[in-house]
Amino acid sequence: MDKQWLEICEKVAARGYARFGDACALQRHQASSRFLSLIFTLLASLTMASPVSAEAGKPQLPSLLLSEATADVATTTQKLTYFIDRDDRLTPSEVWSGALYAEMQPVSKSEPNFGFQKHSIWLRLPIANDSSSEAERVLLMKTNYVSEIDVWLKRQDGPERLLSQRRGSPFSSRPIAFHQLATSFTLQPEEQSDIWIRYRTDGLTSMPVEIHSDLGFATRAAGEMASNFAFYGVMLMLLLASICAFAITRAAIFLWYGAYAAFVTTYIFHRDGYAFQFIWPEYPALNSVVSIPLSAALVILAAQFTRVFLATVDTMRILDKVLLTVIALHILAVASSLLLDLELIRQVMTLSIPVSAMIFLASGLAALRRKGMSAIAFVLGWFGIVAASIVTFTAHWLDIEVTRAATLDTIRAAMVFDAVMMGVACVSVIVQWRRERESLMVEKLASAERNMQLRTRLEMIEQNNQMVEDMLDQSNRKVADTTHDLRQPLFALRAAILNLSARPGHNDSDLESIEASLGYMEKLVEQNLDQATEAAPMDASQEEPIPVQRVLDAVGAIFREEAAAADIELRIIPSCQMISGDTAEILRMLSNLISNALAYSGADKILVASRLRRGGLRFDVIDNGSGIAPARIEQLKERSARDQSAEQIRPEGKGLGLSIVQELAGKLGSQLEIVSRRGRGSRFTFVIKKSGNAASASSATAS
């Protein structure tokens, strides 16, 4: 017997078994199938001695009756047979010649799904109009787009092409403007025919088929669009909520959540076929390539959202590196799609998505152990995504039957649940941040109060320390000033004592000089001692006025001998004025000015005078010496400031004379005025204000 005939008989026997038995049982009971095939083979060998004709080889499966308005996927699948053209050489004429009938096999699943398949797939659906009226129906193929598809209605008088779509066919070329492939056909009363579908895909080969009446199709289309756009509405609300939350809080977590929700919506919009219908209807080539970057963007944004939500950069460094690796791998997958086979990339993506979802779930579980219940919404959301990705992985890779509708519904439900949970997680994070911020604010306020108290105490300590330093500095200055001012009366006292010891007789002028010098020193020491011990100074208004001449006489007694020794004429103009208050400061000021004139001016005449001026007494010390440069006058008023000529004349000097006079003048409410010209001498002037009593005394004396 011919070997080809034996193979045909075996397949006919297999179809016969599938007709009366269960198609799935055919795969599980191979032995029974072979036995039945042997019986059919023997019967055929007894009845026929020549090869079978085309009509004899045509499987006699019952036709799908069109008396009902709708034939769903389950009903049509029971009538479908298929053939995979692995050589991609069959033409429609070869198929209808009968060569393919014996090769067709019944679809054993609830819908045609042959996994990833590059080859052309042929489907045959026998139909019959058992009514007495014309049947107008819509053939719906529940897929959005394929790389190639042709649909024929094979009548007895010849085939009628119902649909022809290619990779480059725009959406407008579809006979029915629907997001899924659909076409219409008409069957005459009592007419029997076959619907042939040949298609090829770049991915999963799922091809659920339904037949509807015009009204049934319109109702189904409206209901499906309503349910789908309800999903898009929910996702859009979540997206708008994330935008508003970001605008209010400026928290980056809402920005990444919004981007993730936007790409979830775009990805499902594309999977449903609405993107091709409404966004790029004239660019069908995008349908084949856009799914890869969209799915990769989903994973990338989900990974970044996880990094921001869980703060893995700061708390979980190793996990952060894992998430960055996931991002890098999916960027690499998108780049590889430009060079590698798209079907291969899609297969890899269907595997990487559930793996990535499990990584995100594991990240949430790790954070749940660290952060407690604040991450529970995040974990629940990724549980839903993991479940949906497992369903998708099962439909693509494992021989477990999952319908296309179930896959898409699971994805939508999981995405909505995930988006809601992630939104709740974001809100919980913001609430936690607010609580932590409030707690931190309380701590900052308490810390600020403590710092303020410490700062106040520190400022008080610094003030006290500065006060002590000022007191010490002032004390040191007073000691220096006193020591400086004592030098001249000591010199005068020494000279007077030497004169006394050298003269055998009594000399009243020497005694007056000694007494004046001692009085000046006692007054100076007593005054500085009182200030050092913080004794209260005597109110000048309570002192009795004294003659100015007494101060002038003391100055003359102190400096007369020194001036005579230096061959300098010291002229003191007598005064009849009265002055009240402490005259020690006036005596110190005149002494320093006369001492500087004697030591540094190079003069041969020095004049000391006082005269009445409105509101006070003016004291002048005038010399006819070398003078002072005008630019140096103000500098010489500073402490330890000396002229170059002064340093040459008296190196041991300290440069304190004019600064002492300046300080004492300020203390008495006056100021030191210096008028000097080079080669013409200098005039030093200060004014002492007179009190009421002194003025009266002065007036009485003048009268």
Side-chain angles (χ1 to χ4, degrees):
M1 184 175 54
D2 192 354
K3 182 178 178 180
Q4 181 180 3
W5 167 243
L6 179 61
E7 292 176 355
I8 293 174
C9 290
E10 287 178 352
K11 293 178 180 179
V12 171
R15 289 195 298 274
Y17 188 92
R19 176 180 177 184
F20 298 102
D22 182 66
C24 295
L26 174 62
Q27 299 178 353
R28 294 193 297 266
H29 302 285
Q30 296 291 334
S32 299
S33 179
R34 291 194 185 95
F35 177 74
L36 188 58
S37 298
L38 180 59
I39 294 175
F40 273 82
T41 302
L42 292 174
L43 292 175
S45 63
L46 293 175
T47 56
M48 304 187 70
S50 60
V52 67
S53 65
E55 287 299 323
K58 183 177 179 179
Q60 300 298 318
L61 292 178
S63 300
L64 178 66
L65 302 179
L66 301 182
S67 56
E68 297 181 1
T70 299
D72 57 15
V73 174
T75 304
T76 56
T77 303
Q78 293 176 3
K79 312 297 182 181
L80 281 172
T81 55
Y82 76 95
F83 175 76
I84 300 177
D85 184 10
R86 302 190 183 277
D87 296 328
D88 295 321
R89 294 180 179 178
L90 281 175
T91 63
S93 59
E94 292 176 342
V95 172
W96 297 321
S97 66
L100 190 60
Y101 282 95
E103 303 292 331
M104 302 289 288
Q105 298 181 19
V107 176
S108 58
K109 297 181 179 180
S110 60
E111 64 183 29
N113 189 350
F114 311 102
F116 288 101
Q117 194 69 245
K118 288 186 176 181
H119 306 293
S120 297
I121 300 173
W122 290 81
L123 297 177
R124 172 180 173 267
L125 176 62
I127 57 175
N129 182 9
D130 58 342
S131 65
S132 58
S133 59
E134 186 178 71
E136 295 182 358
R137 295 291 184 265
V138 175
L139 176 66
L140 174 62
M141 289 144 288
K142 301 180 65 175
T143 187
N144 309 319
Y145 34 76
V146 291
S147 57
E148 293 181 15
I149 186 169
D150 290 289
V151 180
W152 296 274
L153 180 62
K154 177 60 172 62
R155 303 178 187 273
Q156 293 180 355
D157 55 351
E160 176 186 354
R161 188 186 294 270
L162 302 179
L163 176 68
S164 180
Q165 292 285 295
R166 296 294 182 267
R167 194 189 304 273
S169 299
F171 187 84
S172 58
S173 64
R174 294 187 176 186
I176 296 179
F178 191 57
H179 67 100
Q180 294 175 337
L181 292 170
T183 185
S184 60
F185 65 93
T186 302
L187 212 60
Q188 300 301 320
E190 305 297 333
E191 181 182 1
Q192 294 185 0
S193 184
D194 291 337
I195 292 178
W196 285 88
I197 302 173
R198 183 185 65 84
Y199 68 99
R200 179 187 295 175
T201 70
D202 293 329
L204 196 64
T205 55
S206 176
M207 181 64 72
V209 177
E210 290 183 349
I211 294 180
H212 298 273
S213 64
D214 292 342
L215 179 59
F217 176 76
T219 304
R220 181 194 179 283
E224 182 177 332
M225 181 171 288
S227 62
N228 289 342
F229 277 83
F231 163 78
Y232 301 133
V234 172
M235 297 301 298
L236 183 60
M237 289 177 58
L238 294 174
L239 176 60
L240 293 176
S242 66
I243 294 174
C244 294
F246 174 74
I248 295 173
T249 64
R250 296 296 178 181
I253 189 172
F254 287 112
L255 181 64
W256 291 111
Y257 169 75
Y260 171 70
F263 271 86
V264 165
T265 307
T266 306
Y267 176 74
I268 300 299
F269 200 68
H270 163 66
R271 283 289 302 266
D272 286 339
Y274 292 115
F276 184 36
Q277 182 177 1
F278 297 110
I279 300 179
W280 57 76
E282 299 301 322
Y283 302 95
L286 291 176
N287 297 323
S288 300
V289 298
V290 77
S291 59
I292 295 176
L294 281 179
S295 56
L298 275 181
V299 178
I300 292 171
L301 291 173
Q304 182 62 25
F305 174 76
T306 302
R307 294 181 67 236
V308 175
F309 180 83
L310 301 181
T312 56
V313 177
D314 300 324
T315 59
M316 294 177 281
R317 296 290 182 88
I318 297 177
L319 185 58
D320 187 69
K321 292 181 180 179
V322 173
L323 294 174
L324 289 175
T325 303
V326 171
I327 293 174
L329 289 176
H330 283 81
I331 293 176
L332 181 62
V334 175
S336 300
S337 64
L338 301 176
L339 303 174
L340 301 179
D341 184 33
L342 293 179
E343 182 178 353
L344 176 62
I345 300 298
R346 289 192 184 92
Q347 294 178 16
V348 173
M349 293 296 293
T350 57
L351 182 61
S352 68
I353 290 176
V355 172
S356 301
M358 290 179 184
I359 292 175
F360 304 149
L361 177 59
S363 304
L365 293 174
L368 193 63
R369 296 182 58 185
R370 287 173 172 264
K371 300 183 178 182
M373 297 303 292
S374 60
I376 187 64
F378 181 86
V379 172
L380 291 177
W382 282 115
F383 261 123
I385 295 298
V386 168
S389 61
I390 290 175
V391 171
T392 304
F393 174 77
T394 300
H396 285 69
W397 288 90
L398 303 180
D399 193 17
I400 299 175
E401 186 174 356
V402 180
T403 64
R404 179 184 178 88
T407 302
L408 292 177
D409 291 342
T410 303
I411 292 175
R412 289 192 189 93
M415 290 298 184
V416 171
F417 179 73
D418 174 71
V420 173
M421 287 296 102
M422 295 307 167
V424 173
C426 291
V427 173
S428 66
V429 166
I430 296 301
V431 171
Q432 183 178 359
W433 284 355
R434 290 282 178 85
R435 291 175 180 173
E436 292 177 354
R437 184 180 299 176
E438 291 176 358
S439 177
L440 182 62
M441 186 64 66
V442 173
E443 294 179 0
K444 285 184 176 180
L445 290 175
S447 178
E449 291 179 358
R450 291 194 298 268
N451 292 338
M452 187 176 297
Q453 294 175 358
L454 292 175
R455 187 179 301 170
T456 303
R457 294 176 62 183
L458 181 60
E459 289 177 355
M460 292 180 62
I461 293 174
E462 290 178 349
Q463 291 177 0
N464 294 334
N465 182 61
Q466 186 64 37
M467 187 181 300
V468 172
E469 291 180 355
D470 293 342
M471 291 176 64
L472 290 175
D473 182 63
Q474 185 177 4
S475 177
N476 293 333
R477 291 176 63 182
K478 289 183 180 299
V479 171
D481 294 348
T482 302
T483 303
H484 177 273
D485 291 348
L486 284 175
R487 292 173 63 187
Q488 186 61 42
L490 283 174
F491 177 80
L493 182 61
R494 184 182 301 110
I497 292 174
L498 289 175
N499 289 335
L500 283 177
S501 62
R503 296 176 183 177
H506 180 72
N507 192 332
D508 293 338
S509 63
D510 292 336
L511 291 177
E512 290 177 0
S513 177
I514 293 172
E515 183 179 359
S517 299
L518 289 174
Y520 174 62
M521 288 188 295
E522 289 174 352
K523 189 71 173 178
L524 183 63
V525 171
E526 180 182 357
Q527 184 182 35
N528 285 278
L529 183 63
D530 290 340
Q531 293 179 357
T533 57
E534 297 183 353
M538 184 179 294
D539 188 359
S541 63
Q542 297 177 357
E543 294 185 358
E544 292 293 331
I546 61 174
V548 175
Q549 187 62 40
R550 186 181 299 178
V551 177
L552 299 177
D553 290 341
V555 170
I558 293 173
F559 291 101
R560 185 180 300 115
E561 294 294 334
E562 182 179 355
D567 197 18
I568 297 175
E569 180 184 352
L570 176 61
R571 182 182 176 189
I572 299 176
I573 305 300
S575 174
C576 61
Q577 302 298 323
M578 302 291 291
I579 191 170
S580 62
D582 191 355
T583 58
E585 282 83 357
I586 301 174
L587 182 58
R588 290 180 63 187
M589 295 169 69
L590 292 174
S591 297
N592 277 286
L593 294 175
I594 295 171
S595 177
N596 284 347
L598 291 172
Y600 305 115
S601 67
D604 57 4
K605 292 182 180 180
I606 298 175
L607 176 66
V608 179
S610 66
R611 55 181 173 176
L612 185 64
R613 188 178 181 181
R614 181 180 301 178
L617 287 173
R618 171 176 170 175
F619 290 88
D620 294 297
V621 177
I622 305 171
D623 65 72
N624 62 349
S626 58
I628 304 172
R632 292 282 295 166
I633 290 177
E634 294 300 325
Q635 296 179 359
L636 292 176
K637 291 182 181 180
E638 299 177 359
R639 292 183 69 84
S640 302
R642 306 189 69 196
D643 201 7
Q644 186 176 3
S645 60
E647 293 179 354
Q648 296 175 354
I649 296 172
R650 186 176 291 183
E652 70 275 11
K654 303 299 182 182
L656 299 177
L658 290 181
S659 66
I660 293 174
V661 176
Q662 175 75 8
E663 183 177 350
L664 291 174
K667 183 178 179 181
L668 296 176
S670 180
Q671 62 180 358
L672 175 64
E673 296 181 1
I674 302 175
V675 178
S676 181
R677 291 183 181 181
R678 280 292 188 182
R680 301 186 63 179
S682 303
R683 184 182 67 196
F684 300 86
T685 303
F686 61 89
V687 178
I688 304 300
K689 294 182 180 180
K690 294 175 59 178
S691 62
N693 294 335
S696 299
S698 177
S699 300
T701 305
S703 62

